[in-house]
C-alpha cells in the first residue's frame, strides 16, 4: 500500500506492548552510543555548541523528509496543524537545552565525568519528576535504575580520560540530565496525540530554531571543515534522527521514566565501539560496570512489563 494513501492514522494505531517499546528505546540507545566515536573523527575547530545545534538542524530536515514521504504533503500539513504546539515548543526548548549543555559540559569536565553526570542524572531526574506529576515509579524501577546508573558511572570512569571537577561543567551536565528528563515527560504526552514522525518533526524544528542562534552567541560564526560536515551529518541522521524516532515510538507503550532509564544503553554501545574501533583498553571496573548496567536495564524492563495497564505513565 502506498504510504501516502494509507487511511489509518499513525497516531491512532495501537501503541504496542511494553516489551516492544523497551526494545525500541534500547535500539535508540545503540544509535546514541555512536556519538562519541563519530565525534572523534571531527575537526577540533568545531565548537561543541555548533555540534549540538547542527545535529538538531540535520535531524529536523531528516524528520521533514521522512514525515513527508510517509504521510504526503497535504496530510502532513493537517497533522502539524493538529499538533499541540505549546507542548512541542516546551519539548523543543528542552531538547535544545540538552544538546547545548551536554556538549559544553562534557568539553569542560572531560568525557568520563561529563557523560556519567549527564546520563546518570537523567533517570533520577525523570523518577523525581514523575513523582511530582503523581505517577510514582515502582520499587523495581528504582532498583533497576539505580543499579544501571551505578554501573554506568563505573563503566564510563573505568574507560579513563581527563577528569576535571569544574563547578560550571558539573552544573551544565546536571542541567543536561534535567532537560532531557523534562523532554521525555513532555514528549510522552505529545506522542499519544500525534504520530511519532509528526511529533519529532515539530519538536526538533523548534529545537533547531532555538539552538542555532544560541550557538552563534556562544561560539561565534560557524567554522567547519568537510570532515566536520560528515560527522554532523551522521550525528543528525543516525545518532539523532533515527534514534529519536525509535525513542519517541517506544514512549507510546512505556513510561517516560523507563524510557530515560533504558536510554542508558548508550554508554554500553560507546564502550564496545571504544574497544573495537578506537582501540581503548578499559580497566576491570569498567567491565563490572557493564555487567551492573545491563542487569539494571533488565530489571527496569521487567518492572515495566509488569506495570499494570491502568497505572499512570
Amino acid at each position: 500500500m502506498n504510504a501516502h494513501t494509507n487511511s489509518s492514522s499513525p497516531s491512532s494505531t495501537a501503541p504496542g506492548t511494553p516489551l516492544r517499546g523497551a526494545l525500541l528505546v534500547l535500539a535508540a540507545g545503540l544509535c546514541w552510543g555512536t556519538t562519541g566515536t563519530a565525534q572523534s573523527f571531527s575537526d577540533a575547530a568545531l565548537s561543541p555548541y555548533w555540534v549540538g545545534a547542527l545535529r538538531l538542524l540535520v535531524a529536523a530536515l531528516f524528520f521533514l523528509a521522512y514525515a513527508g514521504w510517509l504521510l504526503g504533503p497535504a496530510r502532513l500539513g493537517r497533522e502539524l496543524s493538529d499538533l499541540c504546539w505549546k507542548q512541542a515548543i516546551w519539548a523543543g526548548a528542552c531538547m535544545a537545552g540538552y544538546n547545548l549543555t551536554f556538549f559544553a559540559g562534557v568539553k569542560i569536565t572531560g568525557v568520563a565525568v561529563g557523560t556519567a553526570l549527564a546520563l546518570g542524572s537523567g533517570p533520577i531526574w525523570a523518577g523525581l519528576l514523575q513523582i511530582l506529576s503523581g505517577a510514582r515509579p515502582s520499587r523495581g524501577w528504582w532498583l533497576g535504575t539505580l543499579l544501571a546508573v551505578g554501573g554506568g558511572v563505573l563503566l564510563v570512569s573505568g574507560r579513563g580520560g581527563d577528569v576535571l571537577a569544574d563547578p560550571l561543567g558539573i552544573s551544565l551536565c546536571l542541567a543536561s540530565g534535567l532537560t532531557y528528563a523534562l523532554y521525555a515527560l513532555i514528549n510522552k504526552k505529545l506522542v499519544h496525540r500525534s504520530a511519532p514522525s509528526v511529533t519529532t518533526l515539530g519538536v526538533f524544528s523548534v529545537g533547531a530554531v532555538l539552538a542555532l542562534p544560541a550557538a552563534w552567541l556562544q561560539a561565534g560564526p560557524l567554522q567547519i571543515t568537510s570532515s566536520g560536515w560528515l560527522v554532523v551529518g551522521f550525528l543528525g541522521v543516525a545518532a539523532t534522527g533515527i534514534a529519536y524516532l525509535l525513542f519517541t515510538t517506544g514512549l507510546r507503550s512505556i513510561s517516560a521514566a523507563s524510557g530515560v532509564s533504558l536510554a542508558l544503553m548508550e554508554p554500553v554501545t560507546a564502550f564496545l565501539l571504544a574497544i573495537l574501533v578506537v582501540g581503548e583498553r578499559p580497566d576491570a571496573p569498567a567491565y563490572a560496570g557493564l555487567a551492573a548496567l545491563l542487569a539494571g536495564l533488565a530489571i527496569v524492563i521487567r518492572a515495566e512489563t509488569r506495570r499494570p495497564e491502568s497505572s499512570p505513565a
Side-chain angles (χ1 to χ4, degrees):
M1 181 180 292
N2 190 296
H4 293 185
T5 59
N6 188 346
S7 61
S8 63
S9 170
S11 57
S12 64
T13 56
T17 65
L19 178 59
R20 178 178 180 272
L23 292 176
L24 286 172
V25 174
L26 290 177
L30 291 174
C31 296
W32 288 324
T34 63
T35 301
T37 302
Q39 280 191 273
S40 67
F41 295 100
S42 181
D43 57 278
L46 184 58
S47 164
Y49 292 104
W50 276 114
V51 172
L54 289 175
R55 74 182 291 200
L56 291 181
L57 175 62
V58 174
L61 294 174
F62 166 81
F63 292 131
L64 177 61
Y66 175 75
W69 169 81
L70 186 67
L71 304 174
R75 183 174 166 188
L76 175 58
R78 291 194 300 270
E79 298 235 3
L80 282 174
S81 66
D82 292 336
L83 184 67
C84 180
W85 279 101
K86 181 178 179 180
Q87 291 180 343
I89 289 172
W90 277 109
C94 289
M95 181 51 60
Y98 164 70
N99 273 268
L100 295 172
T101 53
F102 176 78
F103 285 106
V106 167
K107 184 176 182 179
I108 295 173
T109 61
V111 174
V113 171
T115 305
L117 284 173
L119 297 182
S121 67
I124 307 301
W125 286 121
L128 295 175
L129 289 170
Q130 279 210 181
I131 291 175
L132 292 176
S133 68
R136 186 181 299 274
S138 67
R139 285 178 293 179
W141 180 89
W142 279 109
L143 173 62
T145 294
L146 293 175
L147 181 59
V149 168
V153 171
L154 271 178
L155 187 152
V156 172
S157 60
R159 289 177 57 190
D162 297 331
V163 177
L164 301 172
D166 183 277
L168 175 59
I170 290 173
S171 299
L172 286 170
C173 291
L174 292 176
S176 72
L178 174 59
T179 51
Y180 184 77
L182 284 168
Y183 155 78
L185 266 69
I186 299 171
N187 205 39
K188 171 71 177 177
K189 297 177 181 179
L190 278 169
V191 80
H192 276 295
R193 297 184 51 177
S194 302
S197 58
V198 177
T199 299
T200 49
L201 173 58
V203 169
F204 278 80
S205 296
V206 171
V209 167
L210 295 175
L212 287 168
W216 184 285
L217 291 173
Q218 292 289 336
L222 175 62
Q223 297 180 7
I224 186 171
T225 64
S226 56
S227 64
W229 278 118
L230 288 174
V231 170
V232 167
F234 175 84
L235 291 176
V237 174
T240 306
I242 295 174
Y244 277 99
L245 190 60
L246 292 168
F247 179 76
T248 301
T249 305
L251 278 184
R252 303 187 78 198
S253 52
I254 64 175
S255 69
S258 290
V260 178
S261 296
L262 294 174
L264 287 170
M265 188 68 183
E266 175 180 349
V268 174
T269 310
F271 177 78
L272 297 176
L273 287 176
I275 295 174
L276 298 174
V277 178
V278 183
E280 288 187 13
R281 293 295 178 264
D283 298 330
Y287 291 96
L290 175 64
L293 196 161
L294 292 175
L297 294 182
I299 295 173
V300 170
I301 293 174
R302 184 175 186 274
E304 184 64 36
T305 55
R306 293 169 64 90
R307 182 170 57 89
E309 292 294 327
S310 59
S311 68

